[in-house]
Amino acid sequence: MARKALRPGQTIGPYTILAEQYQDDAGVTYLGKHPSAWGAPQVYIREFFPANISRRNRNEIAPARKLLAREFEDALAQQKDRVDRYLAIKEPGLIGGLGKVEENGTVYLVTDWPEGESLQTMSARDGLLSPGFVRALLYGLEGGLNA
């Protein structure tokens, strides 16, 4: 069952939600924009909303049950630390981090909109990726992964 996502037009800090992109066990990813810059590029907004321990009440993310409050608080603290570490990385091959927004009882990571095709699109079109392509891809990501 899909979790209740934020609606287009809602704001997260200075960013406006345009559409939900996808959900996974850890949260929801949205397509967004920065309203204060003319012709601003689109951004990704990643909402920490763990499926098994939290729920949404209006816009607020909260523990699903009182017994899960400590687990949710610990997971949120770890996520905030991960976001801070991601934002500190300035390496080629990684999508640039633009900022962290703490509101609605959770944390959001805002990143540049990625350029190019996704691996999912490429593999759906071309089938299995060749070992040479994967080696080249990993070589380009090595600096960011090490950081």
Side-chain angles (χ1 to χ4, degrees), residues 5-127:
L6 297 173
R7 293 180 312 281
Q10 290 184 269
T11 58
I12 300 299
Y15 303 96
T16 302
I17 301 290
L18 297 176
E20 178 186 340
Q21 290 295 292
Y22 61 88
Q23 296 187 16
D24 59 29
D25 289 343
V28 182
T29 301
Y30 303 95
L31 170 64
K33 70 174 183 169
H34 194 298
S36 65
W38 181 83
Q42 294 178 333
V43 296
Y44 265 146
I45 303 169
R46 177 69 177 164
E47 177 182 53
F48 182 66
F49 185 5
N52 57 341
I53 61 172
S54 63
R55 61 173 172 74
R56 185 184 309 276
N57 184 8
R58 296 193 177 122
N59 291 342
E60 293 290 314
I61 304 297
R65 295 186 314 273
K66 286 183 183 181
L67 291 173
L68 296 172
R70 183 67 180 160
E71 185 177 350
F72 177 76
E73 289 170 16
D74 291 346
L76 180 59
Q78 289 174 2
Q79 185 65 20
K80 288 177 182 180
D81 182 57
R82 280 189 206 101
V83 169
D84 288 337
R85 287 185 284 135
Y86 185 90
L87 292 172
I89 298 171
K90 306 296 182 214
E91 291 286 333
L94 288 182
I95 296 171
L98 299 175
K100 173 175 86 172
V101 178
E102 294 184 49
E103 61 184 53
N104 297 332
T106 193
V107 64
Y108 300 84
L109 169 64
V110 182
T111 65
D112 288 326
W113 181 260
E115 296 178 14
E117 282 185 298
S118 71
L119 291 176
Q120 181 179 11
T121 299
M122 292 171 63
S123 65
R125 180 190 63 227
D126 303 333

